[in-house]
Amino acid sequence: MGIDYSEKIPNNVDLANDKTLQRALEHWQPRFLDWWREMGPNDFASAEVYLRTAVGVDAKGWAHYSPVKMPDYRWGIFLADPIPERTVGFGDSFGQPVWQQVPGEFRSQFRRLIVTQGDTEPASVEQQHRLGHSCPSLYDLRNLFQVNVEEGRHLWAMVYLLHGYFGRDGREEAEELLARHSGDADKPRILGTFNEPIEDWLSFFCFTYFTDRDGKFQLKSLAESSFDPLARTCRFMLTEEAHHMFVGETGLGRVVKRALEVMKEIGSEDPEAIRRQGAVDLPLLQRYLNFWFSSSLDLFGSEVSSNAASAFANGIKGRPDETTQYQDHVCADSDLEMEMPDGRGELKKETVAMRNAMNEVLRDAYIRDCEIGLKRWNMQIRRAGFGFELRLPSSRFRRAIGAWTNVPTDPGGKLVGRGDFERDLPGWIPSATDKAFVKSLMQRVVEPGRMAGWIAPPERGVNNLPVEHEYVRLN
Ligand code: BYC
């Protein structure tokens, strides 16, 4: 079914024929718009932004571009087309028909996951609330706003499920999604990373590289769910998510490129000399990567998790690409060996039932995916004739969730004494001086085609338009 844009809430779920649900969502809609006005990029409400809006969920329809004022963006409910005769792809009910309703016994588990997923979407918009004022170019400003409106739509995706399938509890949860706020002392967002401030574009690019990539892995796992409406909504969200990671990967690549240009110009790798030229030195970038990667690793939950085990056993949440990447979809008798801290400053080997280790399986796949960008940037650095190498820190470093919580290690994952850790940590993640320097670079550039001095231009513009196109008309 195509997307009907004549309706108050554009959708492809035949909302017009479910009056109760339509009324409930129409009641929530003005609250969402109030939240957007208060917490979204509202200083730019009158700007015309060259945005992508889905007009259909197939390959042809989902990337339609036009200039739009963000408050007029048509947030709606779009599910990928159903897969006929789809069956449960993993866990104890493997092979049985998928569910069009939430089975009563799994209701609270599903609600918890949908609320957690939903909570991240508005959180990220809140985190990026003021970034527009320091954009390095109109091209980047447009990408920021594209990401923001789509995160708003992803919130709609989860709110649709809550309203449509969880009755009164779901409606209450949908209200709460607008009541919690990123970094709020009393009502923070649920997951740690979504309460971290994003006050500069280097953090934004790290966030879209690392944290949106967690989004990719979590959405892929939920796209395997036996609750078919959840699977279909996540499948469509993934098409949009790909652009967010593109923004992160190309953004960081352009920062590296600019640093290398400056290093060649001045013939030096000295961070201070590079900073004097207004570019980001690579050791500083490494500290930003250390911060955002370690924070994003926590988003996978504990290494050993009974929540993860029951989500897998019950067909609620699978592994990314469950059908194509794995042979054993039941995992009743397999296990995974892990190295854990023994609590006395040493390591121990532990054998964990595979179902209980699912968070770690996802985290491992995520880490491999994160490596790809680093390989590319390191190649850029080598080609430019420099020896510096960017690295992902160890998954044990600076963790706040799971077995490695508060276990002092260096970025390479080597166990160190607490005193040494506390002494050295400020040199491993961005220091106050680093942040102040990055802040000093964040001067807004809004002439079409011009870029701030700390970032190279993109290789191409959006939708075959030139980089110089006026992607945002600031009015
Ligand atoms: N911070 O057994 P455990 C995205 C909680 S990003 C704070 O270890 P479980 C996006 C956990 O909630 C993708 N708390 O883990 C990106 C639980 O609390 P309760 C978001 C945390 O349950 C950029 C307790 O610790 N989607 O889309 O197996 C921009 C013990 O849990 C954290 C999802 O996350 C943390 N980091 O797995 C915009 C998918 N980690 O319930 C958007 C849905 C864990 O006992 N969520 N806890 O009070 C899930 O699948 C799971 O909830 C988790 C945790 C993977 C997050």
Side-chain angles (χ1 to χ4, degrees), residues 112-114 116-117 120-121 124 128 151 154 190-194 207 211-216 218-219 222 241 244 295 298-309 317 359 401-402:
R112 184 178 148 272
L113 291 183
I114 292 168
T116 307
Q117 177 64 51
T120 64
E121 315 291 1
S124 67
Q128 296 156 19
E151 300 302 8
H154 292 180
I190 297 171
L191 300 174
T193 314
F194 294 89
F207 180 90
T211 311
D212 275 281
R213 196 172 306 274
D214 168 52
K216 166 181 159 183
Q218 299 298 341
L219 289 174
L222 295 173
E241 199 66 36
H244 307 183
S295 178
D298 279 338
L299 296 172
F300 290 85
S302 304
E303 286 74 6
V304 185
S305 164
S306 55
N307 288 341
K317 182 182 172 190
N359 289 343
I401 296 284

Side-chain angles (χ1 to χ4, degrees), residues 49-156:
V49 188
Y50 186 69
L51 289 180
R52 174 177 83 178
T53 309
V55 293
V57 290
D58 58 356
K60 276 196 228 113
W62 76 275
H64 172 83
Y65 293 83
S66 58
V68 179
K69 289 185 180 164
M70 284 185 281
D72 301 335
Y73 185 80
R74 303 301 312 279
W75 286 282
I77 300 157
F78 315 134
L79 270 57
D81 290 333
I83 297 170
E85 318 277 312
R86 184 171 171 249
T87 53
V88 174
F90 59 93
D92 292 337
S93 307
F94 182 73
Q96 293 174 21
V98 290
W99 319 315
Q100 297 309 325
Q101 293 294 330
V102 179
E105 64 272 37
F106 305 145
R107 200 181 142 83
S108 69
Q109 254 181 309
F110 268 116
R111 196 183 62 199
R112 184 178 148 272
L113 291 183
I114 292 168
V115 165
T116 307
Q117 177 64 51
D119 192 71
T120 64
E121 315 291 1
S124 67
V125 176
E126 293 169 355
Q127 286 170 293
Q128 296 156 19
H129 178 54
R130 295 195 50 80
L131 274 185
H133 292 290
S134 58
C135 62
S137 72
L138 285 183
Y139 165 87
D140 290 291
L141 187 61
R142 176 262 165 213
N143 281 346
L144 167 71
F145 293 155
Q146 181 73 55
V147 168
N148 288 165
V149 293
E150 284 174 353
E151 300 302 8
R153 208 203 64 71
H154 292 180
L155 169 61
W156 270 94

Side-chain angles (χ1 to χ4, degrees), residues 132-392:
H133 292 290
S134 58
C135 62
S137 72
L138 285 183
Y139 165 87
D140 290 291
L141 187 61
R142 176 262 165 213
N143 281 346
L144 167 71
F145 293 155
Q146 181 73 55
V147 168
N148 288 165
V149 293
E150 284 174 353
E151 300 302 8
R153 208 203 64 71
H154 292 180
L155 169 61
W156 270 94
M158 293 302 123
V159 165
Y160 160 70
L161 294 175
L162 289 170
H163 275 233
Y165 297 91
F166 294 87
R168 179 210 276 256
D169 309 359
R171 290 194 294 277
E172 285 171 5
E173 293 285 12
E175 299 287 320
E176 287 298 302
L177 288 173
L178 299 176
R180 284 185 293 270
H181 297 307
S182 177
D184 191 297
D186 301 322
K187 282 195 150 208
R189 290 299 177 179
I190 297 171
L191 300 174
T193 314
F194 294 89
N195 291 303
E196 297 289 358
I198 302 180
E199 282 161 356
D200 61 70
W201 282 73
L202 196 54
S203 298
F204 172 64
F205 291 138
C206 289
F207 180 90
T208 40
Y209 187 77
F210 289 117
T211 311
D212 275 281
R213 196 172 306 274
D214 168 52
K216 166 181 159 183
F217 279 79
Q218 299 298 341
L219 289 174
K220 273 181 166 252
S221 309
L222 295 173
E224 299 290 335
S225 180
S226 316
F227 174 38
D228 206 40
L230 172 62
R232 288 173 55 201
T233 207
C234 290
R235 260 176 36 228
F236 184 64
M237 288 162 79
L238 278 161
T239 56
E240 295 169 323
E241 199 66 36
H243 173 256
H244 307 183
M245 285 179 297
F246 163 88
V247 169
E249 178 162 353
T250 54
L252 292 174
R254 289 161 57 209
V255 173
V256 172
K257 187 172 178 205
R258 183 64 195 134
L260 294 170
E261 285 169 4
V262 167
M263 285 155 71
K264 276 189 172 169
E265 269 160 38
I266 61 172
S268 169
E269 292 188 53
D270 173 26
E272 284 310 317
I274 297 163
R275 289 186 187 195
R276 278 197 295 276
Q277 301 300 314
V280 173
D281 54 286
L282 298 177
L284 185 154
L285 175 60
Q286 178 67 63
R287 291 191 284 279
Y288 271 71
L289 300 182
N290 289 350
F291 178 88
W292 286 102
F293 178 66
S294 52
S295 178
S296 301
L297 285 178
D298 279 338
L299 296 172
F300 290 85
S302 304
E303 286 74 6
V304 185
S305 164
S306 55
N307 288 341
S310 73
F312 189 86
N314 295 333
I316 292 171
K317 182 182 172 190
R319 290 166 292 187
D321 306 307
E322 180 67 50
T323 322
T324 53
Q325 288 298 309
Y326 300 93
Q327 303 282 323
D328 173 10
H329 300 296
V330 179
C331 298
D333 353 273
S334 50
D335 38 46
L336 189 72
E337 197 167 277
M338 293 185 210
E339 237 177 5
M340 299 282 215
D342 71 353
R344 295 186 300 274
E346 300 289 332
L347 296 173
K348 60 173 180 188
K349 286 222 177 344
E350 226 171 83
T351 302
V352 180
M354 187 61 84
R355 288 179 172 186
N356 292 71
M358 284 304 171
N359 289 343
E360 196 59 9
V361 171
L362 256 67
R363 188 164 22 238
D364 275 347
Y366 166 81
I367 294 171
R368 286 196 297 277
D369 208 46
C370 288
E371 301 270 8
I372 295 171
L374 275 96
K375 280 202 186 109
R376 197 164 294 155
W377 304 326
N378 284 330
M379 187 119 70
Q380 265 175 271
I381 300 172
R382 268 199 307 280
R383 281 212 190 110
F386 295 99
F388 192 88
E389 197 179 328
L390 293 166
R391 285 191 188 162
L392 290 181

Side-chain angles (χ1 to χ4, degrees), residues 366-433:
Y366 166 81
I367 294 171
R368 286 196 297 277
D369 208 46
C370 288
E371 301 270 8
I372 295 171
L374 275 96
K375 280 202 186 109
R376 197 164 294 155
W377 304 326
N378 284 330
M379 187 119 70
Q380 265 175 271
I381 300 172
R382 268 199 307 280
R383 281 212 190 110
F386 295 99
F388 192 88
E389 197 179 328
L390 293 166
R391 285 191 188 162
L392 290 181
S394 160
S395 60
R396 301 168 185 176
F397 174 65
R398 209 182 74 90
R399 292 290 303 283
I401 296 284
W404 292 94
T405 303
N406 283 329
V407 177
T409 81
D410 68 8
K414 191 167 124 259
L415 293 166
V416 295
R418 176 148 315 273
D420 292 350
F421 176 79
E422 273 158 22
R423 187 195 60 220
D424 293 337
L425 182 65
W428 291 330
I429 57 174
S431 65
T433 316

